[in-house]
Amino acid sequence: MKKTFSAAVALSVLAAPAIAANLENPLYMPKQGAVYSKTSAGVMYKIADDSNAHQKKNHDGATEFPIWRIHEELGYGILDNLEAYAKFGYTHDGDIDRKGMHLGRAGLKYRAFESTDGFVWDVYADAQLGGISEMSGAYTDKGFNYDNYSNGRWGFHVGTQVGKTWSKLSVAGFAEVLRTFGNDNNSIDITQFHVAEVGGLPITALGFPDEISVDLKSATEVNAGLKAFYQLDDRWSFGAGFTFKHHADNGVEGLASDLEAVPANVATQLATMMGYPAAAAPIVGAQVQEQVLNGLLAEVEDMEDGFDEYILSLSAAYQMTDAMQVAVYGEYTFDESHPKSQNGTDVKAELGVRLNVQF
């Protein structure tokens, strides 16, 4: 009996490391000197909702498919309880001609506590790399069209995760805050925008450049979620999760680009249109330019483009070798969008495959 009990204890001790070494386990952390890579490729299907922004562009109810998405996560064990990591993501949506990096993070995770009965507590912080590429798009008569997925802003995440492992089952919960810093790292094409108040003149005829840059406000966003993982045997494991993401409204607090004076011929045209003598053209032109600028800034001071996501995820993974694993994953997202958001959907689903490698 004593020998049987000792054998059972030994087996339970041996079982725990096998689960912890599985890269699909949300509580996984590389040992000192270990390196891992998680490479995902997926395809997303979307049906746009009926937000004001989509209706104005006649895009409400429109289907976007295929949307190609690639993710890469790299990690290195500095110590057994300290990890350096980086995460990147790229999206290409041909139906709305929008593409670019949607995810960029690099930072550290520290395992602050780990008990003998499987309870762990992690804290982490990383740089938000949205400033690597500028936010670009075009402002038209029907509103703003995004060209890429970058917000053009640097920032940082601070987060924590707690979890516990019971034999083959691991459960984790996390919460994090993202703070971005306002800047002028953006390029907005305005050649397609016309000013109805002055006879439909293109805004570029009023001394505005073809592309402008604006000073974006800082923003705070929140993510939180629950994850579950089950190790069926030496080869097969399964995961499930629920994630909440709050995407804040963007806002503009000023114009970063310099404006030129309204051309003389346009200023004269404006003065005549408004019943002023030609001699008053320079003053009229400057006043109209200022009114147009203030009206534009007032419209985008609060862009009302925020949205909340509620993401359900499932995965199944197969351990091909001791160092290589392949997983199939699926996600379905419910969301609630603000009136001018172009990210709201009636349907949003993604299916993909992930290759995990330990070095």
Side-chain angles (χ1 to χ4, degrees):
M1 180 68 181
K2 186 175 181 180
K3 291 182 178 180
T4 303
F5 178 76
S6 299
V9 171
L11 287 173
S12 66
V13 171
L14 291 173
I19 295 176
N22 191 317
L23 268 71
E24 289 293 295
N25 190 331
L27 301 180
Y28 168 80
M29 176 169 279
K31 296 297 182 181
Q32 184 175 16
V35 178
Y36 72 86
S37 167
K38 301 175 70 172
T39 305
S40 304
V43 60
M44 179 180 285
Y45 174 85
K46 289 172 61 175
I47 297 179
D49 69 4
D50 59 353
S51 69
N52 293 349
H54 283 148
Q55 290 185 36
K56 198 169 184 180
K57 296 167 60 180
N58 297 318
H59 193 66
D60 51 312
T63 296
E64 299 172 28
F65 180 82
I67 304 170
W68 301 105
R69 290 165 59 82
I70 301 172
H71 290 85
E72 177 62 38
E73 178 179 345
L74 299 169
Y76 172 73
I78 301 174
L79 301 171
D80 285 351
N81 62 345
L82 181 62
E83 170 193 353
Y85 62 86
K87 302 177 183 181
F88 303 96
Y90 182 89
T91 294
H92 184 282
D93 186 345
D95 285 323
I96 57 174
D97 195 25
R98 187 179 181 187
K99 57 186 178 292
M101 191 174 77
H102 69 264
L103 171 67
R105 300 173 62 166
L108 298 172
K109 178 190 287 185
Y110 174 64
R111 180 142 294 173
F113 179 78
E114 182 170 10
S115 70
T116 56
D117 61 351
F119 178 81
V120 299
W121 173 38
D122 299 331
V123 292
Y124 58 92
D126 58 57
Q128 160 72 11
L129 306 179
I132 288 180
S133 57
E134 66 179 15
M135 183 274 288
S136 67
Y139 198 82
T140 72
D141 297 339
K142 294 187 176 181
F144 187 73
N145 291 327
Y146 295 95
D147 289 341
N148 64 9
Y149 288 87
S150 173
N151 60 21
R153 288 176 292 203
W154 300 96
F156 64 90
H157 288 89
V158 176
T160 186
Q161 175 177 263
V162 294
K164 193 176 189 313
T165 297
W166 299 270
S167 183
K168 297 182 176 182
L169 175 67
S170 296
V171 176
F174 76 95
E176 62 185 28
V177 175
L178 165 63
R179 180 64 176 175
T180 58
F181 305 112
N183 58 29
D184 61 356
N185 186 25
N186 51 76
S187 178
I188 304 170
D189 186 319
I190 57 172
T191 56
Q192 301 175 60
F193 181 66
H194 300 78
V195 185
E197 292 79 3
V198 289
L201 278 174
I203 194 172
T204 51
L206 301 175
F208 288 76
D210 290 349
E211 288 188 344
I212 61 171
S213 176
V214 297
D215 292 320
L216 291 171
K217 296 178 181 179
S218 299
T220 300
E221 303 189 351
V222 178
N223 302 326
L226 295 171
K227 301 175 183 179
F229 167 85
Y230 185 77
Q231 182 85 42
L232 181 65
D233 53 34
D234 291 343
R235 295 296 180 184
W236 288 98
S237 57
F238 301 91
F242 170 78
T243 303
F244 167 75
K245 294 184 176 182
H246 168 67
H247 301 271
D249 288 323
N250 286 296
V252 173
E253 57 187 3
L255 186 69
S257 297
D258 294 328
L259 303 183
E260 297 179 357
V262 178
N265 62 322
V266 177
T268 301
Q269 179 183 343
L270 292 172
T272 302
M273 183 188 307
M274 300 172 70
Y276 290 99
I283 298 175
V284 171
Q287 290 177 341
V288 169
Q289 184 185 68
E290 184 178 1
Q291 290 172 0
V292 171
L293 173 60
N294 291 338
L296 181 61
L297 292 178
E299 187 173 339
V300 294
E301 181 180 7
D302 180 358
M303 296 179 68
E304 298 182 88
D305 60 347
F307 63 106
D308 294 330
E309 293 183 296
Y310 308 85
I311 306 168
L312 301 175
S313 61
L314 293 172
S315 65
Y318 179 74
Q319 195 77 32
M320 295 184 293
T321 69
D322 289 344
M324 188 175 298
Q325 179 185 49
V326 64
V328 176
Y329 68 89
E331 292 184 353
Y332 190 89
T333 301
F334 302 90
D335 59 53
E336 297 177 350
S337 63
H338 293 183
K340 296 182 182 180
S341 173
Q342 298 177 42
N343 292 291
T345 61
D346 287 332
V347 177
K348 184 176 182 181
E350 181 179 350
L351 183 66
V353 62
R354 182 164 45 246
L355 179 66
N356 302 329
V357 181
Q358 299 182 74
F359 303 95

